[in-house]
């Protein structure tokens, strides 16, 4: 447990919020059995060093960050082989720069499967499948360095809302 806390505190020194896979701990402690790993994770959760964000992902509680940042980062970790961009109501909220209009759901258009994933205490990730070719999807998208995600322009977001039968009167 002491070694895990030292690793988590090392992450806290970087001032970067950290999410990691539960399988990542297996690589840090290869000498331990599966039961030992489960016990270590359980004790670290009980002491408040880590928390489970969603199935298979943990959050380092010794670091701090914006809840939105965690959701955007988690989307990358959940769908590494799919092209995702923020659209629909989430993109409109970002363009309006009205944080009160940002609810705790971030909507992505994806080349992968549609799904809604609830992330304990952080909010919900919504993935909406689109069969539009990636070349056509990339038009009108801008990369946001703070969120580390592609964001649809206002026009693209409105078009996506119509195409996916959402109420465009946001």
């Amino acid at each position: 447990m002491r070694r895990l806390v030292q690793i988590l505190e090392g992450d806290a020194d970087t001032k970067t919020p950290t999410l990691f896979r539960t399988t990542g701990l297996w690589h840090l402690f290869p000498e331990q059995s599966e039961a030992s790993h489960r016990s270590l994770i359980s004790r670290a959760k009980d002491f408040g060093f880590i928390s489970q964000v969603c199935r298979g992902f943990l959050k380092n509680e010794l670091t701090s960050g914006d809840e939105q940042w965690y959701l955007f980062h988690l989307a990358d970790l959940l769908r590494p082989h799919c092209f995702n961009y923020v659209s629909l109501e989430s993109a409109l909220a970002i363009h309006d720069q009205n944080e009160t209009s940002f609810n705790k759901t971030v909507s992505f258009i994806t080349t992968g499967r549609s799904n809604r994933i609830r992330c304990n205490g952080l909010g919900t990730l919504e993935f909406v499948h689109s069969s539009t070719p990636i070349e056509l999807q990339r038009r009108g998208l801008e990369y946001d360095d703070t969120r580390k995600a592609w964001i649809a322009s206002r026009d693209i977001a409105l078009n996506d809302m119509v195409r996916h039968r959402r109420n465009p009167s946001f």
Side-chain angles (χ1 to χ4, degrees), residues 8-28:
L8 295 173
E9 285 174 342
D11 277 350
D13 290 342
T14 64
K15 304 290 188 229
T16 305
T18 312
L19 288 172
F20 54 94
R21 295 178 188 272
T22 51
T23 55
L25 290 180
W26 295 79
H27 301 293
L28 294 174

Side-chain angles (χ1 to χ4, degrees), residues 83 85 132-142 150-157 159-160 163:
F83 178 68
Y85 66 92
T132 306
I134 293 174
E135 298 79 36
L136 295 177
Q137 288 179 346
R138 287 194 186 240
R139 296 180 193 158
L141 301 181
E142 294 177 17
W150 289 96
I151 312 284
S153 68
R154 191 169 181 69
D155 293 337
I156 298 291
N159 287 341
D160 286 342
R163 186 169 1 124

Side-chain angles (χ1 to χ4, degrees), residues 97-159:
Q97 296 188 357
N98 182 359
E99 293 303 317
T100 58
S101 67
F102 176 82
N103 59 14
K104 292 189 134 218
T105 299
V106 179
S107 300
F108 289 87
I109 299 294
T110 182
T111 56
R113 291 182 181 174
S114 294
N115 198 1
R116 285 181 70 89
I117 301 169
R118 287 184 180 75
C119 305
N120 301 337
L122 294 176
T124 303
L125 289 171
E126 178 184 27
F127 294 97
V128 178
H129 174 75
S130 176
S131 55
T132 306
I134 293 174
E135 298 79 36
L136 295 177
Q137 288 179 346
R138 287 194 186 240
R139 296 180 193 158
L141 301 181
E142 294 177 17
Y143 190 74
D144 185 347
D145 284 327
T146 58
R147 293 178 176 92
K148 306 279 189 235
W150 289 96
I151 312 284
S153 68
R154 191 169 181 69
D155 293 337
I156 298 291
L158 288 170
N159 287 341

Side-chain angles (χ1 to χ4, degrees), residues 1 40-52 58:
M1 178 71 128
L40 177 67
I41 290 171
S42 177
R43 287 191 335 212
K45 284 181 194 175
D46 291 344
F47 284 111
F49 296 126
I50 59 176
S51 63
Q52 184 133 9
L58 301 168

Side-chain angles (χ1 to χ4, degrees), residues 69-84:
W69 185 91
Y70 285 111
L71 287 173
F72 289 107
H73 185 56
L74 190 57
D76 276 346
L77 293 173
L78 286 168
R79 301 284 174 101
H81 303 295
C82 299
F83 178 68
N84 306 309

